[in-house]
Amino acid sequence: MGTLVGHLLPGVGLLAFAVYYSWLTSLALLRKQMVLKHPLLPRKLLGRRLFGQISYEAMVKVVVSALGILGEYFYPLGVNRLKMIDWKDPRRLFVFKDNWQHVTMFGFFFLSGIVDIVSHAQPARWSVKLERAAEALAFYVLVLLMITHIENKGALEIRVHLLLLLPAFLIALVLTVEIWVPDNAPLWVIKSWMGLVLSTWMLQICEMYIPFTGQPWKAENPMDLAFVTIFFCWHMALGVALLVGIYSLCSFWHHRFSSWTKTLGAKYQRCAMESSGEELEKLNAEAVPQDGGV
């Protein structure tokens, strides 16, 4: 991840997932749902006998994590980083440290996706708790790996990655609380907010590789380091603004759709043929034209 592409791809993926989760949270709050419902893949795509119901979230975790693992090992084409120890060197040094860290991170998110699939196939009381525990474990692993990832780095990279740890740790903490306190609306909101902050800050790191000003960021400049923290605070406010915007759009769609369905339901109503004789006589009387009428 120490390149522009290495931060851009995870940032875009995290942003898409955070927007998706914020959308689900907004609709759940508008509909006053007690449980956060995740859309499921159609059974026709999976086969009724082979798979049970699988959510889009679980499938995205598995596919994206698998692609990330393959990319760490074999991208660009022609390279092979499956080797962990250089056996040709008498000192038996470890090699490709960063890649193995990223593979470990992707591997735990892949495990979280597998747990989601198994949980949906065999629903039980403890299924949701198991899903939250696996997802929390993935974020805790992310925090641990990022702490070691910044070793032997410059002051600027250390600062931006330490700030990246804050939303990741808070997400892991919220997921841990959800193991014992599931289906809690405030926790949904906090998790959505921190997901937006995590993803937008990941994209902000990309700007440090290609600065808008044309001048590279300097780790030895105290002003640059100070503005890194200022920008992160702005990203926290940006996360709130994005969450409010998503909620507003969902609210507009929800009320528009609800009013449309109510109008449609009120317009088309069949008359019950088994109604009492008095009701039928009343309807027939209304149908007879009045004197002087057209």
Side-chain angles (χ1 to χ4, degrees):
M1 289 186 183
T3 62
L4 172 64
V5 177
H7 289 90
L8 180 62
L9 295 180
V12 172
L14 286 172
L15 180 61
F17 187 81
V19 170
Y20 165 77
Y21 193 85
S22 301
W23 171 68
L24 289 182
T25 300
S26 300
L27 290 180
L29 294 176
L30 289 168
R31 296 169 179 171
K32 298 181 180 180
Q33 296 177 355
M34 301 301 296
V35 179
L36 193 64
K37 298 180 180 179
H38 295 269
L40 303 176
L41 288 170
R43 290 179 177 268
K44 294 180 180 180
L45 298 178
L46 303 173
R48 296 183 180 180
R49 297 182 179 180
L50 296 178
F51 298 94
Q53 291 182 321
I54 300 177
S55 67
Y56 287 93
E57 178 185 359
M59 186 60 63
V60 169
K61 283 182 184 178
V62 171
V63 173
V64 173
S65 299
L67 292 176
I69 292 173
L70 293 176
E72 292 293 335
Y73 282 142
F74 305 111
Y75 181 83
L77 297 178
V79 302
N80 186 351
R81 302 188 185 93
L82 284 172
K83 180 173 62 174
M84 180 182 291
I85 300 175
D86 187 1
W87 296 102
K88 296 181 180 180
D89 193 320
R91 296 174 295 176
R92 301 294 189 267
L93 299 176
F94 288 103
V95 293
F96 306 125
K97 173 184 71 71
D98 290 346
N99 299 99
W100 279 100
Q101 285 181 341
H102 300 158
V103 167
T104 303
M105 177 191 69
F106 286 126
F108 275 88
F109 279 102
F110 181 87
L111 175 63
S112 175
I114 295 298
V115 171
D116 290 349
I117 293 175
V118 174
S119 174
H120 294 156
Q122 301 293 333
R125 290 185 176 181
W126 46 264
S127 296
V128 176
K129 294 183 178 182
L130 183 61
E131 293 175 21
R132 297 289 80 81
E135 195 172 4
L137 177 62
F139 276 97
Y140 281 125
V141 170
L142 170 62
V143 172
L144 289 175
L145 293 176
M146 291 299 294
I147 292 175
T148 60
H149 187 71
I150 60 179
E151 294 178 350
N152 301 321
K153 303 287 186 179
L156 182 63
E157 288 194 67
I158 292 176
R159 178 70 60 85
V160 298
H161 285 87
L162 283 178
L163 293 173
L164 189 68
L165 292 178
L166 177 59
F169 177 75
L170 289 177
I171 293 174
L173 191 61
V174 170
L175 289 168
T176 304
V177 174
E178 283 188 327
I179 297 176
W180 291 276
V181 188
D183 305 324
N184 188 280
L187 296 181
W188 300 344
V189 175
I190 295 175
K191 189 162 55 174
S192 301
W193 176 35
M194 287 296 102
L196 292 170
V197 174
L198 178 65
S199 57
T200 57
W201 185 246
M202 181 75 76
L203 295 175
Q204 175 68 53
I205 297 177
C206 299
E207 190 271 337
M208 297 180 182
Y209 292 96
I210 305 179
F212 296 141
T213 60
Q215 296 294 329
W217 288 69
K218 298 179 181 179
E220 65 276 5
N221 188 348
M223 296 296 291
D224 287 0
L225 292 177
F227 268 93
V228 167
T229 306
I230 294 173
F231 288 155
F232 180 79
C233 295
W234 290 356
H235 276 268
M236 295 180 68
L238 176 62
V240 174
L242 289 174
L243 187 57
V244 172
I246 295 171
Y247 181 85
S248 300
L249 291 175
C250 291
S251 178
F252 173 78
W253 178 86
H254 174 71
H255 292 297
R256 184 71 178 270
F257 180 77
S258 299
S259 61
W260 179 77
T261 52
K262 289 180 181 178
T263 304
L264 188 63
K267 184 177 180 181
Y268 298 100
Q269 293 183 356
R270 294 187 61 183
C271 178
M273 299 305 296
E274 294 80 5
S275 301
S276 62
E278 295 180 358
E279 294 179 354
L280 291 176
E281 291 178 0
K282 184 178 179 181
L283 292 174
N284 292 330
E286 292 177 355
V288 176
Q290 302 292 334
D291 293 339
V294 178

